[in-house]
Amino acid sequence: IYGYASHVVNRKKRSCGLSSLQFWKMDRLALVLLLDELDENFLDADIGYLDTLLQIIALGRVQRKLIGPRFDLAAPVWTSQRCLEYFRFDRPRIHRLWNALALTTQNGRMQADNGTVWDGVDGLCILLRRLSYPNRLSDLEDIFGRSRTDLGIIANSMCIAVYQRWNHLLIHVNQPWLTPARL
């Protein structure tokens, strides 16, 4: 729908003689009336659909809203004991694990293909929580302040990043630390 919507928007802008800025400053109802070619049921669509479609057209993507307060591992509420209960690692060891994983990031932040951005340590915490206990993504919304969609993308992206970086340790089992004496 994005490609067709962009085509209709550009055609409407040209036919109205409006600049992009003028076009997007228009009232939402006026914009809907201009875009009624998109879908015969467009005017009957719910507001959520309309807002999402307008974001896709205007920004080329959907802006994600936080569900709750942003997760901050440095916050006083995340004591080492609570981190141990939630993630199976205390707070200093989470940071140590992040450094040991040596995942490539830009300024400690990671980004998925769809544009979702997160702090690397936060992504590690999401992955650890997801793997430490059978949690539904909706259970994690309150902890991390992100939507289920974002949490799923982050957990999967982190899992893929860890696998891509360290899969050689799983593929080649003839490792020096896997001797019968050490097992």
Side-chain angles (χ1 to χ4, degrees), residues 15-174:
S15 68
C16 296
L18 298 173
S19 71
S20 294
L21 183 61
Q22 292 170 326
F23 188 79
W24 293 114
K25 282 186 174 180
M26 296 178 70
D27 181 69
R28 184 165 57 187
L29 179 59
L31 189 57
V32 169
L33 293 174
L34 280 174
L35 298 176
D36 64 353
E37 290 180 40
L38 281 174
D39 184 342
E40 59 195 35
N41 299 321
F42 191 74
L43 292 174
D44 298 328
D46 64 46
I47 295 301
Y49 172 76
L50 175 63
D51 285 341
T52 301
L53 184 59
L54 292 178
Q55 283 181 23
I56 291 171
I57 296 168
L59 305 172
R61 62 182 171 80
V62 177
Q63 290 181 329
R64 301 210 188 304
K65 296 178 184 169
L66 292 177
I67 303 296
R70 170 80 66 183
F71 174 76
D72 182 12
L73 189 63
V77 69
W78 289 104
T79 64
S80 283
Q81 180 60 36
R82 187 168 188 212
C83 287
L84 192 61
E85 292 169 5
Y86 274 73
F87 310 120
R88 299 196 184 225
F89 289 90
D90 60 9
R91 191 163 38 179
R93 288 199 175 126
I94 290 173
H95 289 288
R96 194 169 160 204
L97 177 61
W98 173 250
N99 291 332
L101 286 173
L103 300 177
T104 308
T105 63
Q106 295 177 344
N107 300 323
R109 306 204 39 93
M110 298 183 79
Q111 183 172 355
D113 293 337
N114 74 339
T116 301
V117 178
W118 66 93
D119 182 69
V121 175
D122 294 353
L124 178 61
C125 289
I126 291 169
L127 179 63
L128 291 173
R129 181 62 181 172
R130 190 87 163 114
L131 296 176
S132 69
Y133 187 77
N135 292 288
R136 294 178 303 219
L137 291 172
S138 60
D139 297 337
L140 302 179
E141 285 179 328
D142 294 334
I143 298 170
F144 295 102
R146 291 183 173 265
S147 69
R148 287 179 291 224
T149 304
D150 282 353
L151 290 167
I153 289 168
I154 293 169
N156 288 338
S157 296
M158 289 298 297
C159 191
I160 290 167
V162 170
Y163 178 78
Q164 287 175 341
R165 175 71 174 89
W166 297 102
N167 70 8
H168 64 280
L169 298 176
L170 299 173
I171 293 172
H172 306 292
V173 293
N174 292 330

